[in-house]
């Protein structure tokens, strides 16, 4: 089986080599424990958004294929990466060493063994003491609550009937779901959009606890600016979805009630 790891970067020269080495070590351990027929062949794609440091050189030196994306945005980088990925399964992570990339091979096997379509990580299960500012924690909690309230009819399908981390960027999913969902966002809102789309289309989704660590380097998020943009997106998408559900011709999308 062939899988792809997609990592968006912007000035992550300090951390990207560590992330890639950690992931490759985990892949080697996974391969050594698997039967030859069950081994996973990985490609690593770094989608770089015009870094001004040595991110791309370091990523290439550590075995990644770098795809340059001149258009700004976290979501835009991911959409470019998904289009470039060739794996049957796609995994994602950030390049700042916050996510436990060493768990990804195990999550891929869980996806296959449990016949799932999409796995997302819950950072709040094991949140490092310095991994997230107080302001950022409050914003995330507010967005999580908003998503659960606005999309309750879909969230209740999840195991445990709950989504604890709407903003998590660690995902493992089957590439073929991209033909069934509709991704439109170029910013941070893509983290919410991909989960909502998976849920409203009735895909087999589960959330798993993960460790989330302090990032290497200065934060790039603005808690208020990005939080408000995410909140506006959640509300606007819910309004559009309600219109589609009430329409006899929902614009080509089919959302199970």
């Amino acid at each position: 089986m062939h899988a792809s790891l997609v990592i968006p970067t912007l000035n992550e020269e300090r951390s990207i080599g560590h992330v890639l080495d950690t992931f490759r070590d985990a892949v080697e351990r996974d391969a050594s424990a698997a039967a030859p027929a069950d081994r996973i062949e990985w490609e690593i794609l770094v989608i770089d958004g015009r870094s001004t440091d040595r991110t791309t050189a370091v990523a290439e030196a550590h075995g990644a294929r770098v795809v340059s994306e001149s258009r700004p945005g976290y979501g835009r980088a991911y959409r470019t990466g998904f289009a470039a990925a060739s794996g049957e399964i796609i995994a994602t992570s950030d390049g700042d060493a916050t996510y436990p990339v060493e768990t990804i091979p195990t999550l891929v096997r869980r996806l296959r063994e449990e016949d799932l379509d999409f796995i997302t990580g819950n950072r709040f299960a094991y949140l490092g003491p310095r991994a997230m500012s107080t302001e950022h924690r409050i914003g995330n909690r507010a967005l999580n609550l908003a998503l659960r309230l606005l999309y309750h009819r879909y969230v209740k399908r999840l195991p445990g009937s709950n989504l604890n981390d709407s903003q998590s960027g660690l995902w493992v999913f089957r590439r073929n779901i991209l033909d069934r969902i509709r991704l439109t966002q170029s910013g941070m809102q893509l983290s919410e959009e991909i989960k909502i789309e998976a849920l409203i289309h009735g895909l087999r989704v589960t959330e798993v606890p993960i460790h989330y660590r302090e990032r290497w380097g200065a934060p790039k998020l603005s808690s208020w600016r990005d939080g408000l943009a995410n909140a506006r997106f959640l509300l606007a998408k819910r309004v559009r979805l309600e219109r589609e559900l009430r329409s006899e011709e929902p614009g080509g999308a089919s959302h199970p009630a």
Side-chain angles (χ1 to χ4, degrees), residues 207-228:
E207 184 180 57
V208 300
I210 61 171
H211 289 270
Y212 189 69
R213 306 158 179 144
E214 182 180 5
R215 67 166 284 129
W216 293 23
K220 300 184 178 72
L221 291 177
S222 168
S223 296
W224 284 105
R225 183 194 65 222
D226 293 316
L228 288 173

Side-chain angles (χ1 to χ4, degrees), residues 40-51:
I40 303 169
E41 297 295 327
W42 284 92
E43 68 170 353
I44 301 175
L45 301 177
V46 165
I47 315 302
D48 189 69
R50 297 186 295 181
S51 288

Side-chain angles (χ1 to χ4, degrees), residues 98-100 102-103 122-123 125-128 170 209-213:
T98 51
Y99 286 106
E102 66 274 12
T103 65
N122 171 21
R123 298 170 298 170
Y126 305 110
L127 185 64
L170 189 144
I210 61 171
H211 289 270
Y212 189 69
R213 306 158 179 144

